[in-house]
Amino acid sequence: MDQVMLVAPSLLAADLGNLQKSMDAVASADILHFDVMDGHFTKNLTFGAGMIEAVKSVSSLPVDAHLMVSNPDDTVDWYLDAGADFVTVHYEAATHLHRVIWRIKDAGRKAGVVLNPATPVSVLRDIVCDLDMVLLMSVNPGFGGQKFIENTFSKLNDLTALCAERGASPLIEIDGGVSSKNAEALGRAGANVLVAGSAVFGADDPAAEIAAIRANALAGLASRA
Ligand code: DX5
Ligand code: ZN
């Protein structure tokens, strides 16, 4: 997919005590990113399908459910039933990855695989053609506000090369430590979905940060050779 650039605020950084206010603040975004953590795949425990239902009642934006959960096969239907538009599962957590990806697709939703920072892109060789999205973690999963891992740029190059070799064209999502400061470099490197939690919800003007991430990333995309 080219010329697409989607900004996805992460609700992990939102004021969930004022859900309507938080959703209004990011109404100019493209997708809402839900960091679902089960307290097992990640030590941290966040929210589940009920939060997706609650947000869908106050926002019309598409929902991107990032499942940081063990054995996603067992619970993926919860997020499909809650109305998630994109569902991404961790390569490191799914014993039967092909099956869970096709469970999501057969439900008519967009399916993605997430790679932790140390997991090489090469593991996607035999599934990348089935994917609507690949999420590269640019921090270790579990918390917002962490430092961006610079090796993500090298993995982005590996991923775009693998996609070209395999004739695949998934969306490429980067998640963790993203802001308007590194958005141009990420767009130039081939990312087209940028997750931002603390950069957006921590900004004095979240809408301005969303606009800056989008504009900078598009400028980077335009300069791609
Ligand atoms: C971390 C989550 C990320 C994180 C991003 O486990 O997957 O989405 O919330 O937060 P920031 O943008 O604050 O790094
Ligand atoms: Zn995430």
Side-chain angles (χ1 to χ4, degrees), residues 6 13 54 57 66 74 82 89-90 99 101 106 153 170 184 196 202 212 225:
L6 305 175
S57 69
H66 172 191
D74 299 345
V89 300
H90 271 260
R99 182 168 66 195
I101 288 299
D106 289 343
F153 288 107
E184 181 171 1

Side-chain angles (χ1 to χ4, degrees), residues 10 33 35 66 68 135 137 175 195:
S10 163
H33 185 82
D35 286 311
H66 172 191
M68 286 166 275
L135 190 166
M137 289 300 296
D175 185 7
V195 176

